[in-house]
Amino acid sequence: QGQLVESGGGLVQAGGSLRLSCVASGRTISRTSMAWFRQAPGKEREFVAGITWGLLSTVYADSVKGRLAISRDNAKKTVYLQMNSLKPEDTAVYYCAAAAEGSSRTTWNYHGMEYWGEGTLVTVSS
């Protein structure tokens, strides 16, 4: 098994930007679909963005389309989440997640992921 470690969270004003990173250790991710989820206080964890292995197709939650962008660098075993035009409602702990290696179809929800990071907190002030 390996680990996923997120970084890049912090406090930002509304309209600002952040870039989150997720580094995999002890495993490769070149054949693994990767995703970002978030959990706001008092709410359930929700899917934010995903990127497949192979074709590198991306998928986003409607609430973040056009503002957040997921990307990956397999050589660095790193997945990124570029966050622009941030809103107070984006405040949450952001989690990196990995699906089963080599899976041909990914289910972009909590149960579709096999590994999780510990999360990084993003706070957007109004």
Side-chain angles (χ1 to χ4, degrees):
Q1 292 192 2
Q3 278 189 311
L4 301 174
V5 180
E6 303 95 334
S7 63
L11 174 64
V12 63
Q13 288 188 333
S17 298
L18 282 174
R19 188 175 81 155
L20 306 184
S21 298
C22 168
V23 179
S25 62
R27 59 176 289 155
T28 63
I29 63 169
S30 59
R31 298 182 70 247
T32 303
S33 293
M34 302 293 295
W36 288 94
F37 288 70
R38 68 185 181 187
Q39 187 166 16
K43 294 188 176 181
E44 293 187 352
R45 194 170 300 188
E46 63 175 358
F47 170 78
V48 173
I51 184 167
T52 64
W53 62 280
L55 292 178
L56 306 184
S57 300
T58 57
V59 59
Y60 296 94
D62 288 343
S63 59
V64 306
K65 282 181 181 177
R67 299 188 300 117
L68 275 58
I70 188 171
S71 60
R72 62 192 294 161
D73 184 333
N74 290 338
K76 295 182 178 179
K77 297 191 291 184
T78 301
V79 181
Y80 303 98
L81 185 67
Q82 179 66 43
M83 309 170 69
N84 300 323
S85 302
L86 283 164
K87 305 176 181 180
E89 51 263 43
D90 293 319
T91 294
V93 177
Y94 283 72
Y95 297 90
C96 179
E101 186 175 13
S103 61
S104 59
R105 182 172 294 182
T106 301
T107 300
W108 301 109
N109 61 29
Y110 181 87
H111 299 290
M113 301 293 116
E114 283 204 341
Y115 297 96
W116 294 86
E118 294 295 317
T120 184
L121 176 62
V122 172
T123 304
V124 184
S125 64
S126 58

